[in-house]
Amino acid sequence: MSPARPRLLDPERPPPGPFRPTWWKSPLRGPWLTSMLGLVLLVAIPIVALTGFLSNDAYDPRLGDNAVGRHLGILDFYLFPWPTHPSWLYALNQGLHVGVGLAAVPLVLAKLWSVIPRLFLWPPARTPAQALERVSLVFLVGGIVFELATGVLNVQVYYPFHFFFTDAHYYGAWVFTAAFAVHVALKLPTMRKALAARRWLAPLRESLERTGPEPPAAVASDLIPIAPVPATMSRRALLGTVGAGSVLLGFQGASQSIGGALRPLGLLAPRRDGFGRGANAFQVNRSAAAAEISGDDVGHDWRLELRALGGRRLSLSRPQLLALPQRTHSLTIGCVEGWSTTQRWSGVPLRDLAALVGLRGQLTLDTESLEQNGLFATASLGSEAVADERSLLALRVNGADLSLDHGHPARVIAPAVPGVHCTKWVAKLTFRAAQRR
Ligand SMILES: Nc1nc2c(c(=O)[nH]1)N[C@H]1C(S)=C(S)[C@@H](COP(=O)(O)O)O[C@H]1N2
Ligand SMILES: [Mo]
């Protein structure tokens, strides 16, 4: 009697169904198609990864409570102080991160479709090296699916999972990026060869009638079906459909990031609509109702608590703040979720407020809002943002008082910081001399 194990992994006897190469019939699958999708992703993925890591830098998670509950580890590097010029820098960064990330969804799905027969390779690995490579694919595929799924849910401000989004998305990005680097290093030569063998874009000119399996003579590959059926669509139609899906999704990101006439066209974008009337008619991520802030909290009794850490304290009413020299600047709120808005804000420069409690020079700022709970109830600004003359405690927007939804009686607004650091319904500002990091 022969032992059962070797028989089970016998390459000549795969289990039935998808483990049999004859099961996969689309003539479109092959190294050219996979490589073409890979080439586009080779451009898109680094943009998403780079802007993601830059966003972490802009957040400055080591400052104050900016880590919002994250457990910082060695992977939370902080490379450079995020600049405050131009004021739309973070909006551009996040617009690219979210827009290109959304556009990548159809591309990734098509790429996974193009290689799915490999999931059922029999035996699963022939050599230890092959086994290692296939394990790296678990992190590559698992990583991108996890990053895209959590990213899309975050854009929708929908958190059905029980882990903390920022933590998970950030460490997931490290896992994915490492696996991506390995994958590119291993596959780049194959990709070039497969594309060059078919003269790069030439297969896009094939009509449906002329669409058949890739010639194995070009690049031998287990992706080429051994029992193909006739094509029902050309490669051009397949890539055109995937590309159209990408453009449609990418446009949702662009519409809410660039705004203006594009904003109403982003039909799937969650932050499309304006909020409020007149001067205050622009979108709101978290309304006063959602934050459980009522008119009573911010009525005549409201006072700003202003302090220098370990030093002077002041308490100012809104009329007192309005009596201070006011400045007006056109500044962009760039939300981490990829939407942005540029408005004309008026209020007191933050550095003037610091001077009132006797502080000058390199300062950081911790802000607390009236919100009782919520991850965004506190935020900190780094010394670059505090020193910038355009950084305001805003009291008015577009010539009118701030509406309750936009942070009445006062909100922080600073150039090029992540939107989440522009705290609304401010209760307390604490300035401190910046420590060298
Ligand atoms: N107190 C408080 N301030 C806040 C928020 C919040 O939830 N609470 N949301 C932040 C976020 S995520 C962004 S992008 C900006 C702009 O949000 P808005 O559209 O809700 O005004 O305000 C920030 N300020
Ligand atoms: Mo945000």
Side-chain angles (χ1 to χ4, degrees):
M1 264 179 72
S2 58
R5 247 176 76 84
R7 204 111 129 263
L8 194 70
L9 288 173
D10 187 349
E12 305 303 321
R13 294 158 176 260
F19 293 96
R20 307 243 157 112
T22 48
W23 207 78
W24 301 98
K25 301 204 184 308
S26 172
L28 300 186
R29 282 199 189 89
W32 181 86
L33 182 74
T34 296
S35 300
M36 194 41 86
L37 289 163
L39 181 62
V40 182
L41 284 168
L42 190 56
V43 177
I45 296 283
I47 295 176
V48 182
L50 185 69
T51 50
F53 287 116
L54 286 175
S55 174
N56 185 64
D57 192 281
Y59 251 75
D60 199 346
R62 304 195 173 185
L63 203 61
D65 287 326
N66 285 0
V68 279
R70 285 173 59 191
H71 314 285
L72 296 186
I74 47 161
L75 292 177
D76 277 272
F77 61 90
Y78 177 77
L79 285 179
F80 58 91
W82 186 251
T84 56
H85 285 274
S87 96
W88 40 263
L89 185 67
Y90 187 76
L92 174 70
N93 189 81
Q94 267 339 81
L96 281 172
H97 185 68
V98 173
V100 179
L102 289 174
V105 171
L107 297 166
V108 167
L109 292 177
K111 180 120 198 297
L112 292 178
W113 174 84
S114 81
V115 294
I116 194 154
R118 293 239 170 104
L119 186 61
F120 302 96
L121 206 63
W122 199 263
R126 283 168 201 253
T127 62
Q130 199 190 18
L132 262 180
E133 193 230 312
R134 303 206 72 212
V135 169
S136 82
L137 292 178
V138 174
F139 294 105
L140 183 77
V141 177
I144 193 67
V145 169
F146 182 81
E147 290 299 286
L148 290 177
T150 51
V152 167
L153 290 173
N154 184 55
V155 169
Q156 297 291 337
V157 203
Y158 175 53
Y159 305 102
F161 36 75
H162 290 278
F163 48 78
F164 183 43
F165 167 77
T166 320
D167 251 345
H169 198 66
Y170 187 72
Y171 291 114
W174 273 112
V175 172
F176 169 71
T177 306
F180 181 74
V182 170
H183 187 66
V184 171
L186 289 175
K187 297 292 187 181
L188 203 59
T190 315
M191 184 187 94
R192 284 203 49 200
K193 215 164 91 190
L195 291 173
R198 304 215 59 209
R199 290 182 295 121
W200 299 84
L201 295 177
L204 292 179
R205 287 199 290 274
E206 284 165 6
S207 62
L208 176 59
E209 295 76 54
R210 285 181 47 220
T211 299
E214 292 183 32
V219 173
S221 167
D222 56 347
L223 291 175
I224 302 173
I226 58 172
V229 294
T232 52
M233 82 194 304
S234 65
R235 290 189 174 79
R236 177 171 62 212
L238 176 71
L239 291 181
T241 307
V242 172
S246 270
V247 169
L248 181 77
L249 285 179
F251 180 76
Q252 306 304 313
S255 73
Q256 56 171 359
S257 179
I258 298 167
L262 292 187
R263 190 165 330 257
L265 301 178
L267 295 177
L268 304 172
R271 292 292 168 272
R272 186 163 57 99
D273 297 322
F275 216 95
R277 295 205 185 136
N280 281 278
F282 56 97
Q283 72 273 62
V284 167
N285 217 18
R286 191 133 189 268
S287 65
E292 295 177 17
I293 300 281
S294 77
D296 298 343
D297 300 319
V298 296
H300 290 296
D301 296 342
W302 176 84
R303 296 183 81 82
L304 172 73
E305 202 185 316
L306 187 64
R307 42 179 255 168
L309 192 73
R312 283 177 63 183
R313 283 166 184 262
L314 269 179
S315 160
L316 296 168
S317 67
R318 198 164 189 276
Q320 286 173 317
L321 285 166
L322 281 166
L324 295 170
Q326 307 286 302
R327 293 278 176 275
T328 298
H329 293 288
S330 181
L331 294 172
T332 304
I333 295 182
C335 177
V336 62
E337 287 124 39
W339 63 268
S340 45
T341 185
T342 303
Q343 308 294 338
R344 286 186 71 71
W345 307 89
S346 307
V348 186
L350 292 176
R351 60 185 198 185
D352 291 2
L353 291 172
L356 280 182
V357 285
L359 284 181
R360 280 171 213 287
Q362 294 270 93
L363 307 173
T364 64
L365 169 64
D366 298 327
T367 309
E368 284 172 44
S369 82
L370 291 168
E371 255 181 287
Q372 290 308 306
N373 38 47
L375 290 172
F376 308 145
T378 61
S380 298
L381 293 183
S383 53
E384 285 69 27
V386 175
D388 195 296
E389 57 174 7
R390 298 165 299 164
S391 299
L392 303 174
L393 180 70
L395 306 165
R396 296 164 66 80
V397 64
N398 301 322
D401 279 340
L402 286 178
S403 69
L404 191 56
D405 283 323
H406 284 301
H408 185 87
R411 82 173 300 166
V412 168
I413 185 90
V417 303
V420 60
H421 292 169
C422 297
T423 308
K424 303 194 283 190
W425 314 295
V426 170
K428 187 170 164 186
L429 297 177
T430 306
F431 290 95
R432 62 172 95 202
Q435 286 149 7
R436 293 212 63 80
R437 272 169 301 169

